[in-house]
Amino acid sequence: MAEVPIQRHRLENGLRVILSRDPRAPVVAVNLWYDVGSKHEKAGKTGFAHLFEHMMFQGSANVEKGQHFSLIQAAGGTLNASTWLDRTNYYETLPGHELELALWLEADRMASLLPAMTQEKLDNQRDVVKNERRWSVDNQPYGDWDELIQALVYPKGHPYHHSTIGSMEDLSAASLDDVREFFATYYAPNNAVLTIAGDFEADAALDMVRRHFGPIPPNRELPAPPDMTVDPLIGSEVRETKADQVPLPRIYWAHRAPPFGTDEFDALDVAADVLGSGRASRLYASLVREQRLAQDVSVFAFPIVGGASLFTLWATARPGIAPETLEAATLAEVDRLAIDGPTDADLERVRNLHAAHSAGSLERIGERADRLSMYACLFDEPERINSEVARYAAVDAARVSEALRASVRSDNRVTLTYVPAEAAS
Amino acid sequence: MTVARPPAGAPRPYRFPDFVRHRLPNGLGVWLVPLPERELVSVHLLTDAGAAAEDEPSAGVAALTAQLLVTGTRRLDAAAFAETTERLGIEVSSESSWDSARAGFTALGSKLGDGLDLLAEMLRTPRLDEGEFDRLKAERLNDILQARADPGRLADESFLREVYAPDSPYGRLSAGTPESVESLTVQAVRDYHASRYAPDVADVVVAGAIEPDAALDAVERHLGDWSGTGPGHRTLEPRQRGGRRVVLVDRPGSVQSELRVGHLGINRHHPRYFPAMVMAALLGGVFGSRLNRRLREELGYTYGARCSFDPRRAPGPFTASAAVQTEVTVDAIRELIGQLERIGQATPDDDELTDVRNFLVGVFPLRFETTSGIAAALEPLAIYDLPDDYWHTYRSHLEAVTPQDVLDAARELVRPDEALILLTGDAGRVRDELEAAELGPLEVIPAS
């Protein structure tokens, strides 16, 4: 589809509603972004936004524990939710004729989560989340890299200083009072975006939205957004080495970068692809294929909007390759791109890959709804979904060089090196 | 519920896209799925050159051959091939499983001709360069090292090794073992490609923004004069090791135990295939399944518990799995086994079965949102010779599954008494309790 159609509405209680009709398949996606993520957590409450997301599946006034999942699945739908630094999203994709079921379930928990809350449910989900942390972080090789990186890139007290999964201690301390306060503060219609995409009739869908979400009162006292201010550069080189149960050394490099949504971020996005996307990328060609120093490489700019985002790279050393050798070779490639800029061939390659990936992502109605919610929630501009490819293609060689020179430099770099525990001792 | 769920509207029917099949004179099967209003096209080229087509002493040669294909052609070296394809916005993939090797790509429809041209060149005249072979072989060996440091992947690999009898190829990963990969040479890969990649054991699926006649012309132009014959796969008859056993793979310092419980499962043509799929979903395939409800939502022992079959040409494993915190390891095993026993003791409630069946039936169109999803859906038809109306009758097969069918499938196909209980975890913390629990003869082995 060449252009994603967009209709914007706003209910009196402040709920932003985005409709994007596409009747090609008889399926519909419902997607809610709440403007609350781990950056909103208070000291001593790390991990709470995510734990709260779990509590949203524990029932509400008219829905029993587990029933949100079972009703959607029995209707032939899929669903889930996720929490990240800036936001929390909830989503269902289901047959179009069951649209109202998803809206009703989302509205019921937005309106009336608290009557269903119990200590037993909180204790159960606290255990589940602790096991999620053990599984994805504590028992996983290199599993705590993003937690360590965030703590080193952002100063203590900054909302991005801690990870979304949070600490075991803080999870243990979470109480039902915290659930009540968090719900009352952030889970209000005027702090959310609701997107419906796919097979539906606009008038009927809007009626359903008004009926189910219209009566939910707004929070008239939404707190001011957290202060995300941070110096654009770290100001010095930061190095940390961690001995872990890993067979091969791996190095993570992270830099403060301009936030998602800026022209500079787009330029870094292009830089990341020139360096790390595909077998013709600079780092794969040089480190993996030609010099054979690395088992794998990856480059990624975090799409986050507060103060500073993150431009990260990682590379896993082949056996017998010293981390210092891998580091020197990697940074040489990055510096070469910063100084010389990408070639026309580089830009043609990443632009065509990006256009194909973007078309591939938007084939999925759930992904389309999620991006509409994202652009509406973060920038109040869902129309950005239709300029993604053009923004990317507008980045020229000079902008790539400038963005790299401004952010990807040694006095703005955290270097985290994992080494095998046996080798370290 | 005090307020009832809103009623559903009138369902709009969904039909799996129609496709046309051709067979070229050289034996190549051609499957064309025109999808109007699509921007993209997906091409999947399947060859009966998966791990089941390799000789056991050269285990892993199928996987390395598939991976080496993307490192260039006689005309274009590795760098030039990557550059040429990616400048078209095409990322060519090539990989193998037990039952087939698959090469393909997804691209904007306007790039179909160029993409097919390069894909055909890659399959017919690959470079199979020694230097690139050495690199990929080393990367595969490194990946095995990495996998063994990851408790979940370590448990998966160990489970296969322990659940199958030692002479059963399925007891290893399809990509081979360190020993077998170590012994492979570039000549073995060249021989494998020359003898196994041939049009009479291959099928190409093209789905998306195509006009069928033009797409058929393009396939004929690039692959019509491909010649040769291939032997295809050998017949595997995997056997299980003895009865109930407990194997603990010691991974000191683990804060969770990765559990894998199961035994031999079914092949793709098993007469109880559909009841088995419904039963596995009810037991451990959806969020509200018995395993996940009990171990996660009631006990909080895990982030998730599940089970599944892995049907192949010959019986792949049936596996129930969960990562549980170390402190509750033994109780979690008991609970998990308890659910495997319970599923064979009584028919499920009508409501429970209806919900699961409705999920599998209703989610049907969601599986085919993308051109690559539709192309992938035709793969089992080509690989396992399923009927052309397979997807058109799929939902009625599911809807026909009764509570008694589920019970019968469970009694035949879920056998906790002969299940292998394998776990990776900290032996220093769980061994004594495991021994005392008398779940079966216990063997403790180090994580290699």
Side-chain angles (χ1 to χ4, degrees), chain A residues 1-2 22-28 50 54 57-58 61-67 69-78 93-98 100-102 104-105 108 120 124-125 127-136 138-142 199 212 245-248 250 277-281 284-285 288-290 292 294-296 316-319 344-346 348-350 352-357 359-361 363-366, chain B residues 1-14 36-40 70-71 78-83 85-94 106-108 111 129-136 138-140 142-143 145-147 149-152 251-258 285-288 295-304 323-327 354-356 358-366 369-372:
Chain A
M1 132 175 319
D22 174 6
R24 285 180 296 179
V27 295
V28 69
H50 170 242
H54 278 242
F57 291 94
Q58 296 298 306
N62 297 293
V63 180
E64 289 170 32
K65 172 181 164 95
Q67 206 177 12
F69 259 96
S70 61
L71 283 172
I72 294 289
Q73 292 193 323
T78 60
T93 305
L94 72 173
H97 67 282
E98 289 280 19
E100 191 168 5
L101 173 65
W104 173 73
L105 284 165
D108 202 63
E120 187 187 1
N124 166 250
Q125 289 304 307
D127 285 345
V128 170
V129 169
K130 285 181 171 181
N131 273 310
E132 182 176 355
R133 185 190 157 93
R134 290 184 186 101
W135 176 74
S136 64
D138 298 328
N139 212 34
Q140 191 64 29
Y142 320 105
D199 183 26
H212 293 295
Q245 284 193 38
V246 295
L248 299 173
R250 181 183 287 174
S277 176
R279 293 187 199 95
S281 66
Y284 184 90
V288 178
R289 191 169 56 230
E290 288 160 22
R292 304 192 180 179
Q295 169 78 2
D296 53 51
T316 309
R318 277 205 179 199
D344 289 348
D346 284 323
E348 183 190 353
R349 185 183 77 84
V350 297
N352 284 337
L353 285 176
H354 181 265
H357 286 162
S361 300
E363 271 192 299
R364 286 177 283 127
I365 201 78
Chain B
M1 268 191 285
T2 48
V3 176
R5 63 127 50 217
R12 229 183 90 196
Y14 172 83
E37 301 176 57
R38 298 286 190 145
E39 266 187 289
L40 297 170
V70 299
T71 61
F81 186 75
E83 186 76 25
T85 48
E86 290 175 9
R87 279 174 73 174
L88 294 165
I90 292 173
E91 282 185 284
V92 178
S93 67
S94 178
T106 294
L108 293 172
K111 301 291 182 5
D129 170 73
E130 180 154 25
E132 284 294 285
F133 167 81
D134 290 341
R135 174 173 74 84
L136 291 184
E139 286 177 10
R140 169 68 191 138
N142 296 338
D143 183 58
L145 273 181
Q146 295 276 72
D150 178 322
R251 187 174 177 275
S254 294
V255 293
Q256 282 188 325
S257 301
E258 283 275 3
V286 297
F287 186 84
L295 273 82
R296 170 182 156 131
E297 290 296 291
E298 290 172 20
L299 296 168
Y301 285 174
T302 179
Y303 180 49
V324 303
Q325 71 198 82
T326 297
E327 295 81 353
T354 303
D355 278 3
V356 167
N358 286 349
F359 169 68
L360 295 172
V361 169
V363 83
F364 186 76
L366 295 185
E369 277 193 291
T370 61
T371 57
S372 59

Side-chain angles (χ1 to χ4, degrees), chain B residues 139-418:
Chain B
E139 286 177 10
R140 169 68 191 138
L141 292 169
N142 296 338
D143 183 58
I144 295 172
L145 273 181
Q146 295 276 72
R148 290 178 176 179
D150 178 322
R153 293 179 70 189
L154 174 66
D156 290 339
E157 187 189 350
S158 306
F159 178 78
L160 294 175
R161 190 186 60 235
E162 298 292 333
V163 81
Y164 283 100
D167 61 353
S168 296
Y170 283 175
R172 58 169 171 89
L173 298 173
S174 67
T177 63
E179 298 74 26
S180 71
V181 172
E182 187 65 65
S183 73
L184 293 174
T185 62
V186 71
Q187 194 54 49
V189 165
R190 289 173 184 159
D191 291 345
Y192 193 79
H193 175 265
S195 60
R196 303 309 202 275
Y197 280 72
D200 72 322
V201 290
D203 288 272
V204 62
V205 184
V206 185
I210 59 166
E211 195 283 302
D213 291 342
L216 183 60
D217 282 350
V219 171
E220 278 176 333
R221 197 159 55 244
H222 296 296
L223 294 163
D225 60 348
W226 185 17
S227 63
T229 58
H233 57 278
R234 58 196 157 127
T235 301
L236 303 181
E237 288 171 358
R239 291 183 304 113
Q240 188 172 331
R241 269 203 213 186
R244 171 77 80 85
R245 300 157 59 218
V246 184
V247 177
L248 167 58
V249 181
D250 184 21
R251 187 174 177 275
S254 294
V255 293
Q256 282 188 325
S257 301
E258 283 275 3
L259 311 181
R260 301 289 182 274
V261 179
H263 45 65
L264 239 66
I266 58 175
N267 68 29
R268 190 60 186 71
H269 290 287
H270 195 280
R272 294 196 199 276
Y273 179 81
F274 284 102
M277 291 301 112
V278 173
M279 187 266 292
L282 186 149
L283 179 59
V286 297
F287 186 84
S289 67
R290 292 181 179 185
L291 284 170
N292 199 57
R293 203 163 60 217
R294 182 67 183 149
L295 273 82
R296 170 182 156 131
E297 290 296 291
E298 290 172 20
L299 296 168
Y301 285 174
T302 179
Y303 180 49
R306 62 192 65 81
C307 71
S308 62
F309 290 95
D310 179 8
R312 308 167 183 167
R313 283 206 186 88
F318 166 77
T319 319
S321 59
V324 303
Q325 71 198 82
T326 297
E327 295 81 353
V328 302
T329 299
V330 169
D331 202 41
I333 294 173
R334 282 208 187 91
E335 289 285 347
L336 196 152
I337 293 273
Q339 294 301 328
L340 301 190
E341 287 168 348
R342 195 180 139 224
I343 191 83
Q345 286 165 351
T347 53
D349 290 345
D350 282 343
D351 286 353
E352 188 184 17
L353 175 58
T354 303
D355 278 3
V356 167
R357 237 175 20 207
N358 286 349
F359 169 68
L360 295 172
V361 169
V363 83
F364 186 76
L366 295 185
R367 297 168 59 188
F368 308 120
E369 277 193 291
T370 61
T371 57
S372 59
I374 289 166
L378 293 183
E379 293 179 9
L381 277 64
I383 296 171
Y384 302 111
D385 290 323
L386 301 177
D388 279 1
D389 67 353
Y390 178 77
W391 290 116
H392 294 140
T393 60
Y394 174 84
R395 284 173 288 183
S396 55
H397 283 295
L398 291 171
E399 279 162 346
V401 173
T402 66
Q404 189 61 42
D405 292 337
V406 170
L407 180 62
D408 291 346
R411 283 187 172 151
E412 180 185 333
L413 305 175
V414 178
R415 302 179 298 273
D417 289 350
E418 58 177 81

Side-chain angles (χ1 to χ4, degrees), chain A residues 41-49 162-168 170-171:
Chain A
E41 289 161 352
K42 297 177 188 164
K45 307 283 185 193
T46 65
F48 191 77
H162 70 275
S163 67
T164 299
I165 193 74
S167 73
M168 287 292 194
D170 289 356
L171 289 170

Side-chain angles (χ1 to χ4, degrees), chain B residues 20 46 91 100 250 422:
Chain B
V20 286
L46 307 165
E91 282 185 284
S100 87
D250 184 21
L422 183 131

Side-chain angles (χ1 to χ4, degrees), chain A residues 12 27 51 64 236 363 395:
Chain A
E12 278 177 24
V27 295
L51 175 58
E64 289 170 32
S236 64
E363 271 192 299
V395 174

Side-chain angles (χ1 to χ4, degrees), chain A residues 286-288 290-295 316-319 321 325-326 329:
Chain A
S286 170
L287 303 176
V288 178
E290 288 160 22
Q291 301 188 65
R292 304 192 180 179
L293 303 173
Q295 169 78 2
T316 309
R318 277 205 179 199
I321 301 299
T325 308
L326 178 62

